[in-house]
Amino acid sequence: MADRGKKGRRIAKKEAVAMLRKADLLELGQAADDLRSRLHPEGIVTFVVDRNINYTNVCINRCAFCAFWRREDASDAYILEEAELFRKIDETIALGGTQILIQGGLHPRLGIDYYVRLLSSIKGRYDINIHGFSPPEICYIADTSDITIRETLAILKNAGLDSVPGGGAEILSDRVREIVSPRKIRSSRWLRVMEEAHGLGMRTTATMMFGSIETPEDIVEHLDAVRELQDSTGGFTAFIPWSFQPGNTELGKGGRGSGTGGRTKKAGPRPPGPESPYGATAVEYLRVLALSRIYLDNIQNVQASWVTQGLKLAQVALRFGANDFGSTMIEENVVASTGVSYRVSMEDIINSIRAAGFAPCQRDTVYRIIRRY
Amino acid sequence: MLARIRNKVLNGRRLSADDALRLFESSDIFSIGSLAAYANGKKNGKKAFFVRNRHINPTNICINRCKFCAFSRSPGQEGAYELTVDEIIAKLRPYCGGKGRLPGITEAHIVGGLHPEWDFGRYLGIISAIRRHFPGLHIKAFTAVEIDHFSRISGLGLEGTLKALKKAGLGTMPGGGAEIFASGVRAELCPEKISGARWIEVMEAAHGVGIRTNATMLYGHIESHEDRVDHLMRLREMQDRTGGFQAFIPLAYHPKNTRIQGGYTSGIDDLRTIAVSRLVLDNFDHIKAYWIMLGEKISQLSLCFGADDIDGTIIEEKITRSAGGLTAGHLTADQLAHLIRKAGKTPVERDSFYRKVRVYG
Ligand code: SF4
Ligand code: SF4
């Protein structure tokens, strides 16, 4: 297995499924670790200093297990005031932040004009990277404004959107999506948003949320779809696998709590819970992470998810294929309201990376190193 | 670099202190982990153990007030408490049979502070009351630190104290209080506590009267790798003499709320320490990855790095939680079995002597 990585031969779907099912955990880890150190021989592990800003908590999807959404008429429903938005960005910059992650619920009364104003008001004032709107939001904006995805992305880009987070991907298998997140956009649409974004010169990430009812085949399907698109566009900066955490709000939240949700279907019956009441265990997380590193030979970066896995397991993940620690999370509204949040300061992140045997470096959105510690 | 060590392990030969040090200093966690998994497989096959237990900490008032202890209090201090025998019995009762009760336990795990006013009779009374009320329940109680204290307040000496406890119903002893034997580190970490030599003496006495015990090592504070190796070597020597240890439990240091600064250990160090322990302690049957200390994630992973036990359901644990533990207060038997299964092992619920209670399919 390790040889395969060394020779640089691409692994096929069938091999990947067999590895996920049967390979010894430590052999998988070793192979992923070898690949990681070939791609990142300097022993650097990066992180980004950013803030998650949720522009609204009004969401038509009203996922049954989401603690974040509100009805429009709820007393604590909000659309972020400009002053508040600017205050958050000021704080982010003061803390050394280089990026804001803007996501929110699917608000029925916010058309494309709102987003254009939001983006250009930020860009008019700040030199900061705007990473925003996961594919389900993009699709919803397109649908409510009655324009194509490409037009939507072009308008948003023009207004200041720099890059798109890969949330809402869940498992790119419609079989699984039908069961787990029936209201969410289908796989092909998710991929389409990414393809169009890449086509417009925007970089994006890709996520995968596993640990619900998917099979190893579904996971490999997902990896394969991402690898194939990357072959043609090269637009993905990083891959972020994370596991469903029971006690978390919604099965369908994109990596790092993207307000996501589907678009067309009315809120139907509540989706059934995941098969296992426990979510994916540490061993399963590392297996999938390692396989992702091995399979996605055309994606430079793989992110460890300390938010869902905790710092200790995230450290171990750095030896199972990951080379990035994600965000320092100055604020995380969505995740914080679920209790999964680990209150971790930037200091803890830097120390954790170091204790795992790597050199911590702050990066920007496209993985250029900004600062070494 | 590890080839020589690998050969030794594969040929069933004992590792030297030098080997152990080299393992602690290696970053090749995959080789170390798979060797340890091999060594564990020879002892325990695919089995991985857990126990249904409940922790009781009779008091947190302690004359020692060790610097790294976030659990203990001085008398009268806020948060100080002491449980009566009746309260202890009431805490155990719901788990010890009766209709409509909570899922049962097979073991009570009892450790606590060295109360300045309690006499030996009070401690003895706790054991005998539990024995009387719940004859089927295994009582695992008192670290070497407590036994040392009892031996002084009882006037019975070590052996007399241990025999009295055994007679009252004490079945086995946990392995706490060992910390790190090296005297330099100990002088800084816990000068209030009995010496490493005394810890060993107490454990030898316990094994001598037929009480089996565990052994621990607290790591990740101010000790060096040499100190860890020294600790393991002393345990291995003693085990050669007595054979009374059941499990070795490396305990990751938790810095919060203690008076010794420092960070959490890294997940990588935790796994390596488990693996090295498995490889060095060739005369210990079991290596325990204590989930309340390591967190359930690292604990589960440890099963792929040489550990064969993740301890138990642990209802109510105060000591680690006071120190900013990373985990919830308890896991159900089904949750533990699930973790074990997903690590590719067969979950076996054990009793306090590692005898099979039930295999979870
Ligand atoms: S999880 Fe996302 S899509 Fe679902 S209700 Fe909450 S914000 Fe809306
Ligand atoms: S570690 Fe034990 S002996 Fe030391 S203060 Fe805490 S309870 Fe007392």
Side-chain angles (χ1 to χ4, degrees):
Chain A
M1 183 192 309
D3 285 355
R4 224 162 270 149
K6 281 193 191 98
K7 282 185 211 128
R9 184 174 70 73
R10 188 162 255 209
I11 64 164
K13 279 205 241 181
K14 252 171 90 181
E15 278 175 285
V17 171
M19 275 170 151
L20 200 48
R21 275 191 201 288
K22 291 192 230 108
D24 175 74
L25 173 73
L26 298 191
E27 275 178 43
L28 261 181
Q30 174 90 68
D33 195 45
D34 289 347
L35 283 165
R36 191 265 315 149
S37 66
R38 248 194 7 198
L39 286 164
H40 304 277
E42 329 77 13
I44 282 171
V45 165
T46 45
F47 60 90
V48 67
V49 179
D50 75 348
R51 180 166 201 166
N52 190 5
I53 297 178
N54 300 120
Y55 53 89
T56 181
N57 61 352
V58 172
C59 186
I60 52 143
N61 256 17
R62 296 173 192 168
C63 298
F65 23 64
C66 170
F68 178 71
W69 70 264
R70 295 289 180 276
R71 290 172 190 279
E72 238 185 305
D73 55 7
S75 61
D76 54 350
Y78 73 83
I79 296 175
L80 202 62
E81 302 277 340
E82 203 166 68
E84 178 72 1
L85 171 72
F86 291 160
R87 189 184 59 74
K88 284 174 189 272
I89 299 176
D90 286 334
E91 284 170 8
T92 306
I93 290 171
L95 290 167
T98 58
Q99 163 183 306
I100 49 170
L101 171 62
I102 300 201
Q103 305 182 107
L106 308 183
H107 194 302
R109 249 182 281 283
L110 297 181
I112 186 108
D113 297 344
Y114 166 81
Y115 295 93
V116 168
R117 258 183 285 118
L118 178 72
L119 291 166
S120 40
S121 75
I122 298 171
K123 282 292 179 177
R125 248 179 116 101
Y126 301 100
D127 176 24
I128 196 162
N129 199 91
I130 306 178
H131 190 54
F133 316 124
S134 59
E137 285 167 280
I138 304 272
C139 290
Y140 186 69
I141 299 169
D143 291 346
T144 50
S145 310
D146 207 16
I147 47 179
T148 65
I149 289 170
R150 190 181 178 82
E151 283 161 353
T152 308
L153 283 163
I155 294 169
L156 296 176
K157 181 181 184 224
N158 205 29
L161 182 65
D162 294 295
S163 56
V164 177
E170 329 309 12
I171 288 283
L172 295 171
S173 140
D174 287 329
R175 183 191 74 80
V176 177
R177 296 170 86 79
E178 269 311 314
I179 302 168
V180 171
S181 49
R183 288 171 293 187
K184 205 143 275 180
I185 57 170
R186 300 186 76 89
S187 307
S188 54
R189 259 200 129 193
W190 188 94
L191 289 162
R192 179 74 190 287
V193 172
M194 289 307 181
E195 189 175 359
E196 299 283 17
H198 297 168
L200 290 165
M202 284 193 271
R203 308 296 303 273
T204 76
T205 54
T207 63
M208 171 168 71
M209 187 207 67
F210 61 96
S212 62
I213 56 147
E214 79 287 339
T215 62
E217 284 80 2
D218 295 322
I219 287 175
V220 172
E221 246 350 285
H222 182 111
L223 294 176
D224 195 62
V226 170
R227 186 169 79 178
E228 203 182 303
L229 181 56
Q230 178 76 339
D231 274 344
S232 79
T233 66
F236 289 120
T237 52
F239 186 69
I240 312 164
W242 62 290
S243 66
F244 166 69
Q245 300 293 298
N248 198 344
T249 50
E250 184 211 354
L251 281 166
K253 253 190 342 17
R256 316 206 355 223
S258 54
T260 52
R263 36 167 220 96
T264 48
K265 281 180 210 161
K266 290 256 279 298
R270 176 192 295 220
E275 189 179 59
S276 148
Y278 314 115
T281 64
V283 167
E284 294 161 277
Y285 171 71
L286 290 182
R287 293 182 77 83
V288 171
L289 181 80
L291 183 72
S292 304
R293 178 61 290 169
I294 296 166
Y295 199 85
L296 299 174
D297 53 5
N298 53 4
I299 295 186
Q300 186 70 10
N301 304 292
V302 172
Q303 209 177 95
S305 174
W306 63 261
V307 180
T308 60
Q309 308 303 321
L311 280 176
K312 282 196 175 205
L313 183 53
Q315 289 173 315
V316 178
L318 297 177
R319 298 297 305 276
F320 280 74
N323 66 294
D324 185 80
F325 234 51
S327 161
T328 53
M329 297 264 192
I330 293 166
E331 183 182 52
E332 227 308 10
N333 281 332
V334 178
V335 175
S337 58
T338 72
V340 187
S341 158
Y342 290 80
R343 257 164 265 112
V344 183
S345 68
M346 187 155 147
E347 188 83 339
D348 288 331
I349 288 185
I350 292 168
N351 290 339
S352 295
I353 293 172
R354 211 174 266 139
F358 295 93
C361 288
Q362 185 185 345
R363 64 163 170 86
D364 66 9
T365 311
V366 290
Y367 288 79
R368 285 177 307 219
I369 302 233
I370 299 175
R371 183 171 166 199
R372 289 162 200 272
Y373 288 84
Chain B
M1 180 185 94
L2 300 177
R4 216 170 42 87
I5 294 176
R6 160 174 252 113
N7 268 334
K8 279 192 178 178
V9 173
L10 298 183
N11 294 317
R13 276 163 47 217
R14 186 161 260 204
L15 299 187
S16 67
D18 265 4
D19 296 332
L21 191 59
R22 189 163 298 180
L23 291 172
F24 272 121
E25 285 181 349
S26 165
S27 63
D28 187 359
I29 56 165
F30 301 107
S31 299
I32 298 172
S34 54
L35 270 186
Y38 166 83
N40 172 51
K42 284 205 356 198
K43 287 185 186 289
N44 297 298
K46 286 197 72 159
K47 292 194 291 257
F49 300 96
F50 70 93
V51 62
R52 279 182 290 131
N53 58 357
R54 189 199 202 294
H55 282 223
I56 305 255
N57 309 121
T59 181
N60 63 351
I61 297 174
C62 186
I63 54 172
N64 269 7
R65 302 306 322 277
C66 301
K67 275 207 268 312
F68 67 84
C69 177
F71 161 75
S72 67
R73 295 286 182 277
S74 301
Q77 194 186 343
E78 205 195 321
Y81 74 86
E82 34 193 75
L83 299 178
T84 64
V85 170
D86 286 348
E87 285 168 331
I88 290 172
I89 297 301
K91 275 177 180 285
L92 289 169
R93 190 177 300 286
Y95 304 95
C96 297
K99 276 171 257 126
R101 299 298 189 173
L102 297 164
I105 54 171
T106 62
E107 176 184 287
H109 177 121
I110 300 170
V111 294
L114 314 180
H115 196 291
E117 280 143 33
W118 288 10
D119 60 12
F120 182 52
R122 172 103 185 224
Y123 290 101
L124 208 55
I126 293 173
I127 303 297
S128 47
I130 297 173
R131 163 62 65 251
R132 200 168 58 246
H133 282 92
F134 315 114
L137 185 66
H138 182 93
I139 305 171
K140 177 171 152 205
F142 305 133
T143 65
V145 179
E146 290 161 283
I147 301 292
D148 165 74
H149 175 71
F150 301 162
S151 76
R152 279 179 283 116
I153 58 174
S154 70
L156 296 173
L158 260 187
E159 213 184 292
T161 302
L162 286 160
K163 280 186 172 153
L165 286 165
K166 191 177 180 200
K167 191 153 165 255
L170 181 137
T172 55
M173 278 167 53
E179 324 308 3
I180 277 277
F181 292 146
S183 47
V185 175
R186 218 173 166 84
E188 220 173 298
L189 183 74
C190 52
E192 312 82 354
K193 203 163 259 181
I194 57 170
S195 69
R198 178 66 174 167
W199 188 94
I200 288 175
E201 202 179 320
V202 172
M203 286 310 201
E204 284 216 58
H207 297 174
V209 303
I211 299 172
R212 303 207 65 186
T213 76
N214 290 336
T216 60
M217 171 175 78
L218 185 72
Y219 68 96
H221 39 87
I222 50 171
E223 88 291 356
S224 65
H225 285 155
E226 282 83 356
D227 295 329
R228 294 188 192 184
V229 171
D230 167 70
H231 191 95
L232 295 178
M233 289 298 151
R234 289 207 230 177
L235 287 175
R236 190 170 75 181
E237 261 162 45
M238 176 175 161
Q239 178 75 330
D240 277 344
R241 286 198 302 276
T242 69
F245 289 121
Q246 299 203 99
F248 174 70
I249 313 162
L251 300 173
Y253 184 65
H254 279 197
K256 293 269 161 64
N257 307 327
T258 68
R259 283 169 283 161
I260 298 257
Q261 294 304 308
Y264 283 99
T265 55
S266 82
I268 293 169
D269 192 25
D270 292 338
L271 294 173
R272 182 173 32 221
T273 304
I274 290 277
V276 177
S277 305
R278 177 62 288 164
L279 290 169
V280 172
L281 298 177
D282 54 4
N283 51 6
F284 278 66
D285 287 339
H286 305 287
I287 302 291
K288 188 190 285 191
Y290 195 34
W291 70 262
I292 198 102
M293 293 293 262
L294 293 173
E296 61 191 77
K297 288 179 186 289
I298 298 296
S299 183
Q300 183 208 21
L301 270 178
S302 298
L303 298 175
C304 304
F305 283 78
D308 64 287
D309 186 1
I310 57 176
D311 201 70
T313 47
I314 314 190
I315 299 141
E316 195 173 311
E317 202 274 359
K318 292 203 164 122
I319 295 174
T320 310
R321 296 189 63 71
S322 322
L326 302 171
T327 48
H330 100 279
L331 290 175
T332 64
D334 283 338
Q335 282 172 312
L336 291 167
H338 177 76
L339 290 176
I340 292 171
R341 215 178 281 122
K342 290 293 181 180
K345 307 275 173 173
T346 309
V348 178
E349 183 193 330
R350 62 167 174 85
D351 70 6
S352 304
F353 297 103
Y354 287 85
R355 289 174 305 211
K356 176 178 80 191
V357 173
R358 183 181 154 195
V359 177
Y360 284 62

